[in-house]
Amino acid sequence: MTSSGESMLPARPSLSILIPTAFVASLWCYIAFNLIYRHILGQRTNRLPYPPGPLSPNLLLGHYGKVPMKKPWFDYMEMGKTYGELIYFRTLWDNILVINSAEATYEIMEKQARITSDRPFGNALDRFTNWDQNTALSVYSEAWRRTRRTFHQNFRSEAAVKFHPVQVEKIHKFLKSLIELSESPCSDKQTHSDQLVNYISTLSQGIMIKSVYGIEIQSATNEALPKAAREFADLVEESLLPGGSTYRSIPFVHLWAWLAPSMLSKFARVQRNTKETWNMVRGEPFKEAMKALKSGNHSSLVGELISQNEVRGGSAEEVDRIKNMGSTAVSAAADTTASATTTFYIALILYPEVQSKAQEELDKVLGPGRIPSFKDRKHLPYVEAIYREVMRWHPALPIGFPHKSTEDIIYKGYLIPKGTLIHANIWAITHNPDQYTSPEKFIPERYLNKDGSFNEKYVNINTIDAYGYGRRVCVGRHVADDTLWLTMASILATMNVSRVCEDESEVLDIEKYYTDAALCHPHTIPGCKVEPRLSKNELEMMLDQGKDEY
Ligand code: HEM
């Protein structure tokens, strides 16, 4: 005791110091435990080496924060020259594998699909942001299997024909807006290009939103639902890159998103925004479809499925699955089909000879005054080859979607341990010079036989790498395939697309027009001019005659 009678015991640390210290200490213990478990004990029990990869710059964090996040498909393709078809590294506790070759992708993601079809999500933060309601982000579980089945029943090749009326209607409307665009006086050519990109988005999203929910949209940039669907895709895309999702599994990180005030923490703000945006995409159009259903109109996929469920006396879980399917379809279509259509325009401005050849084929097969319909597809091999080349030349998801292994895999003497995040480098696969001569060039002829017929080898849609692999292969691919083919055939039949530039000899660096992250799409089409091949009246007559041709 002091003379004043106060105790000499040290002051107790306050809770505001204890809680964060305990949090940081337990986080480090968790990291240390994971490292010891995975890298020391794991190695001892399995003598096989992990695949080659760059040395870890940090014992604890691995490559966390050091991996390329901007167009990383180029870096991994380049790194392939040193490490080969498999590149292996880790960030914190995640083991990550990037696959650069078609052969390894087939062996690991197709042949072993049973054990490589999980996703690296499903943590507390993913539940906080409701990512578990999105089929593309869901873990490999019974819930995913059931929603995927609902998806498959409605989007498989035979079912995709029910999308045809809306596809035809929206594509014809798009062509009409192109005529208006070509007539509108505009001093700045780039404004035309930007407007065109807006029309392309409206087309891609308009088809899915109308087919799934029966909702008409006029502009993808001005209306709440298409804007939210794109915003959700933008908010998610960084987590799809190799190493991009590691932070999501940091223990208790969801508490930070939940507790921290938005105005103080950017992280909390982004997570809440993601949750709200997803809730909007999942909730609002569903409410509208239900309103239409109550008023006796169920001319939408969701309306039709809900009324069938009611007739069967179906469950609340089935309603949830239908909601998940509808909202996932709208968010998955937001950037992907628009990306491929915009890439098609870029190809046309760079390769005018491709456009001329396709128009020659269309004019010969269709004859004068007829707009292409799905029935013409098998008679138009060159147009088919253009579509395939667009998907190869600039795939919409160049580094694919992350898969996760659920068992150890041994490939060519290497151990790929259970829990590894697997990314197929679709870009490296579709730009492999051993398989595609001059892969950087747009050459539709690579899909044709010498006599100009379409090469049988490529007929199956599953040969299109851009749609991904294994049990998680794009479930909307048949609908996307129809939309893209008809859009491309219709544009070629009715419009001339060309490039306007000051200097004709300027070599266009197209990469600078593409976005950097996982859902890679051009933000504009540099100096693009679109002119109708026919007069406005002729074109309108043509569209009128073709409007019921599915
Ligand atoms: C150009 C158009 C499209 C491309 C290039 C594309 C590409 C892809 C890719 C690469 C994946 C990941 C596959 C994997 O994990 O290996 C995927 C998944 C998916 N796609 Fe597409 N997609 C397109 C259009 C669409 C459309 C229109 C829909 C609408 C239904 C859709 C729905 C989905 C869904 C639901 C998944 C997740 C499947 C699952 O995880 O089980 N996609 N897509």
Side-chain angles (χ1 to χ4, degrees):
M1 297 281 269
T2 60
S3 55
S4 63
E6 282 172 1
S7 165
M8 288 296 285
L9 287 174
R12 278 197 197 152
S14 71
L15 277 182
S16 62
I17 297 176
L18 264 180
I19 291 175
T21 313
F23 177 77
V24 172
S26 35
L27 184 61
W28 282 112
C29 287
Y30 183 82
I31 295 172
F33 173 77
N34 263 280
L35 286 172
I36 293 167
Y37 179 74
R38 282 169 191 247
H39 297 277
I40 302 177
L41 296 181
Q43 288 284 36
R44 207 182 294 156
T45 47
N46 285 294
R47 290 178 191 266
L48 291 174
Y50 294 154
L55 277 179
S56 182
N58 185 305
L59 180 67
L60 286 180
L61 303 179
H63 288 86
Y64 189 64
K66 305 274 180 216
V67 285
M69 298 301 275
K70 287 190 172 179
K71 299 194 168 100
W73 42 95
F74 291 124
D75 298 276
Y76 291 117
M77 193 171 162
E78 191 56 31
M79 282 160 78
K81 291 182 187 153
T82 309
Y83 301 109
E85 59 179 345
L86 304 184
I87 302 170
Y88 188 80
F89 57 97
R90 72 174 174 84
T91 60
L92 282 173
W93 43 78
D94 283 338
N95 299 309
I96 299 175
L97 179 73
V98 175
I99 308 182
N100 269 332
S101 81
E103 185 204 348
T105 302
Y106 176 70
E107 291 295 328
I108 295 168
M109 298 177 87
E110 295 283 355
K111 276 173 80 177
Q112 311 225 41
R114 186 184 61 80
I115 55 169
T116 55
S117 293
D118 201 3
R119 296 276 194 227
F121 307 112
N123 300 302
L125 182 59
D126 304 317
R127 285 192 295 281
F128 172 81
T129 48
N130 289 335
W131 284 16
D132 49 347
Q133 296 168 350
N134 184 303
T135 318
L137 304 171
S138 305
V139 291
Y140 191 54
S141 60
E142 192 48 35
W144 165 80
R145 247 184 293 277
R146 288 180 180 211
T147 315
R148 172 105 193 177
R149 197 179 308 136
T150 309
F151 245 120
H152 178 71
Q153 282 160 355
N154 293 289
F155 285 79
R156 66 184 200 275
S157 159
E158 302 76 20
V161 290
K162 66 171 180 275
F163 290 79
H164 285 181
V166 176
Q167 284 164 326
V168 169
E169 179 206 320
K170 294 285 176 190
I171 290 168
H172 288 190
K173 190 170 172 199
F174 171 71
L175 296 175
K176 284 181 188 163
S177 55
L178 291 188
I179 305 178
E180 278 159 32
L181 184 66
S182 70
E183 285 174 348
S184 69
C186 184
S187 53
D188 177 5
K189 293 287 177 234
Q190 200 50 43
T191 317
H192 264 182
S193 293
D194 296 345
Q195 186 62 2
L196 179 58
V197 172
N198 177 20
Y199 288 156
I200 292 172
S201 271
T202 307
L203 168 68
S204 310
Q205 296 212 61
I207 291 176
M208 198 49 68
I209 292 174
K210 179 156 184 192
S211 308
V212 172
Y213 292 110
I215 299 171
E216 290 282 355
I217 61 158
Q218 304 306 328
S219 163
T221 43
N222 294 334
E223 291 169 41
L225 177 58
K227 268 170 78 179
R230 284 196 81 139
E231 196 184 335
F232 181 73
D234 290 348
L235 287 162
V236 163
E237 64 178 343
E238 206 170 283
S239 300
L240 304 180
L241 297 174
S245 64
T246 303
Y247 75 94
R248 302 192 69 82
S249 52
I250 292 176
F252 310 115
V253 73
H254 65 294
L255 293 181
W256 190 249
W258 187 42
L259 294 172
S262 285
M263 70 271 206
L264 290 184
S265 156
K266 186 178 170 213
F267 175 78
R269 194 166 56 246
V270 170
Q271 301 314 316
R272 275 181 221 157
N273 188 14
T274 311
K275 181 183 183 133
E276 278 160 25
T277 311
W278 173 251
N279 288 351
M280 194 276 169
V281 175
R282 188 169 179 266
E284 294 307 315
F286 185 78
K287 272 191 219 149
E288 277 202 43
M290 290 307 94
K291 245 194 255 162
L293 186 63
K294 281 208 179 91
S295 63
N297 169 13
H298 42 86
S299 60
S300 71
L301 180 57
V302 161
E304 192 187 305
L305 295 178
I306 290 287
S307 71
Q308 284 168 9
N309 188 46
E310 281 170 5
V311 172
R312 281 197 308 267
S315 60
E317 286 84 41
E318 182 61 18
V319 173
D320 258 353
R321 274 196 286 281
I322 297 166
K323 278 178 95 168
N324 292 353
M325 185 206 72
S327 44
T328 305
V330 166
S331 65
D335 275 338
T336 47
T337 23
S339 167
T341 309
T342 319
T343 293
F344 163 72
Y345 272 96
I346 293 184
L348 291 190
I349 61 169
L350 291 182
Y351 296 86
E353 67 285 2
V354 167
Q355 175 169 245
S356 310
K357 266 179 127 174
Q359 289 175 338
E360 213 177 284
E361 179 182 82
L362 281 155
D363 292 347
K364 203 161 109 197
V365 172
L366 301 176
R370 205 161 72 72
I371 186 92
S373 79
F374 289 112
K375 288 184 204 128
D376 300 309
R377 187 163 179 174
K378 56 182 174 300
H379 306 297
L380 295 164
Y382 196 75
V383 176
E384 185 70 43
I386 291 179
Y387 158 59
R388 297 304 179 108
E389 184 66 344
V390 166
M391 302 303 275
R392 182 203 69 80
W393 192 55
H394 223 296
L397 285 128
I399 196 87
F401 233 81
H403 288 219
K404 188 175 167 187
S405 62
T406 45
E407 287 178 25
D408 285 354
I409 297 168
I410 292 165
Y411 176 75
K412 291 191 178 169
Y414 293 118
L415 171 71
I416 300 161
K418 173 181 169 178
T420 298
L421 275 59
I422 306 174
H423 295 258
N425 188 350
I426 296 179
W427 184 278
I429 294 167
T430 61
H431 288 76
N432 176 357
D434 296 337
Q435 200 182 344
Y436 302 101
T437 322
S438 308
E440 72 294 349
K441 295 210 170 108
F442 190 88
I443 311 176
E445 286 76 4
R446 46 176 115 242
Y447 298 94
L448 302 176
N449 296 315
K450 286 216 169 74
D451 64 1
S453 57
F454 194 74
N455 188 336
E456 283 291 309
K457 198 169 104 184
Y458 299 108
V459 167
N460 191 327
I461 193 170
N462 294 336
T463 59
I464 304 180
D465 290 276
Y467 289 124
Y469 307 99
R471 294 190 185 174
R472 303 304 290 243
V473 66
C474 176
V475 72
R477 66 198 184 287
H478 297 286
V479 174
D481 180 85
D482 283 348
T483 297
L484 290 170
W485 179 84
L486 192 64
T487 305
M488 293 179 195
S490 305
I491 293 166
L492 287 163
T494 57
M495 305 283 155
N496 282 322
V497 178
S498 56
R499 183 174 167 216
V500 202
C501 58
E502 313 268 284
D503 175 8
E504 290 288 325
S505 62
E506 184 204 345
V507 179
L508 202 57
D509 169 16
I510 61 163
E511 276 318 311
K512 75 175 190 219
Y513 300 98
Y514 279 85
T515 56
D516 292 330
L519 292 153
C520 180
H521 56 90
H523 49 79
T524 190
I525 307 167
C528 180
K529 187 163 125 199
V530 182
E531 290 165 308
R533 294 180 73 206
L534 311 149
S535 75
K536 191 175 172 182
N537 282 349
E538 284 169 326
L539 194 66
E540 278 180 353
M541 265 169 59
M542 193 173 173
L543 295 181
D544 206 43
Q545 276 165 18
K547 72 180 188 308
D548 300 321
E549 295 261 337
Y550 310 135

